[in-house]
């Protein structure tokens, strides 16, 4: 699915890094499954817990104010991973696949927030996905498809 994206990033000599929560590194995995990805892919962090989102630069104050399941957190994730790795693009993904999180009781149980930070233009591209598929793997692929579509329009 991401062949065209990786090819375009290589052609434009742009790099990408990801900070993923609910997708658990699935986006990074799909990118690195493609030949030549090492030319454009710098780093990925799977920050499943609030603690590690904070260690990667996400503001605890923003988590407390907006919930870890929010577009504000996705933006913090995308910008911080881009800055941490000096990548042209940072992708932040946070949300739920229909589960209740006892540590974070706020936020819709079926919404995933996606933010792509374009460091060169200091601009965010944001969208949401409803996790409506039957299982986690299908929901992860739904999110990856959305990220792919977003990036192909941006690049």
């Amino acid at each position: 699915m991401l062949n065209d994206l990786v090819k375009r990033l290589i052609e434009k000599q742009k790099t990408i890094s990801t900070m993923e929560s609910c997708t658990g590194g699935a986006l990074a995995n799909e990118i690195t499954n493609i030949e030549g990805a090492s030319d454009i892919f710098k780093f990925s962090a799977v920050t499943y817990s609030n603690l590690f989102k904070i260690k990667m630069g996400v503001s605890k104050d923003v988590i407390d104010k907006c919930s870890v399941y929010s577009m504000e957190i996705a933006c913090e994730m995308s910008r911080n991973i881009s800055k941490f790795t000096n990548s042209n693009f940072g992708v932040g993904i946070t949300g739920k696949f229909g589960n209740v999180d006892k540590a974070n009781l706020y936020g819709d149980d079926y919404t995933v927030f996606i933010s792509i930070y374009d460091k060169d233009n200091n601009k965010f591209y944001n969208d949401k996905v409803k996790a409506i598929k039957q299982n986690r793997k299908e929901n992860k692929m739904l999110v990856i498809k959305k990220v792919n579509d977003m990036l192909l329009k941006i690049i």
Side-chain angles (χ1 to χ4, degrees), residues 53-54 56-65 73 76-77 79-80:
K53 284 178 183 68
I54 294 165
M56 290 299 299
V58 173
S59 167
K60 181 182 181 321
D61 292 338
V62 176
I63 291 173
D64 292 343
K65 179 182 176 190
I73 295 304
E76 288 262 322
M77 293 168 75
R79 183 180 55 233
N80 282 312

Side-chain angles (χ1 to χ4, degrees), residues 83-99:
K83 287 183 177 182
F84 180 75
T85 61
N86 197 30
S87 292
N88 301 103
F89 297 100
V91 179
I93 301 169
T94 186
K96 298 184 195 181
F97 292 143
N99 58 310

Side-chain angles (χ1 to χ4, degrees), residues 48-50 53 63-64 67-69 96 99-109:
Y48 231 50
S49 70
N50 292 4
K53 284 178 183 68
I63 291 173
D64 292 343
S67 161
V68 73
Y69 305 116
K96 298 184 195 181
N99 58 310
V100 174
D101 179 352
K102 293 175 185 167
N104 300 285
L105 296 175
Y106 304 102
D108 181 73
D109 290 341

Side-chain angles (χ1 to χ4, degrees), residues 16-141:
I16 189 169
S17 294
T18 65
M19 189 183 308
E20 302 178 63
S21 187
C22 60
T23 49
L27 175 60
N29 179 64
E30 290 296 317
I31 292 170
T32 59
N33 283 339
I34 298 167
E35 189 69 34
S38 60
D39 293 337
I40 55 93
F41 188 74
K42 285 195 168 184
F43 183 78
S44 179
V46 177
T47 54
Y48 231 50
S49 70
N50 292 4
L51 174 65
F52 282 92
K53 284 178 183 68
I54 294 165
K55 285 184 182 239
M56 290 299 299
V58 173
S59 167
K60 181 182 181 321
D61 292 338
V62 176
I63 291 173
D64 292 343
K65 179 182 176 190
C66 300
S67 161
V68 73
Y69 305 116
S70 65
M71 190 58 72
E72 291 86 353
I73 295 304
C75 290
E76 288 262 322
M77 293 168 75
S78 67
R79 183 180 55 233
N80 282 312
I81 199 66
S82 173
K83 287 183 177 182
F84 180 75
T85 61
N86 197 30
S87 292
N88 301 103
F89 297 100
V91 179
I93 301 169
T94 186
K96 298 184 195 181
F97 292 143
N99 58 310
V100 174
D101 179 352
K102 293 175 185 167
N104 300 285
L105 296 175
Y106 304 102
D108 181 73
D109 290 341
Y110 297 93
T111 301
V112 177
F113 301 90
I114 300 166
S115 177
I116 298 169
Y117 179 68
D118 176 349
K119 178 182 66 88
D120 299 334
N121 296 299
N122 192 31
K123 184 172 181 179
F124 291 95
Y125 298 87
N126 302 326
D127 210 341
K128 296 185 250 181
V129 173
K130 283 293 186 181
I132 56 172
K133 299 295 185 180
Q134 294 298 312
N135 62 57
R136 293 181 70 78
K137 187 172 183 178
E138 289 177 354
N139 279 315
K140 288 178 183 185
M141 293 311 293

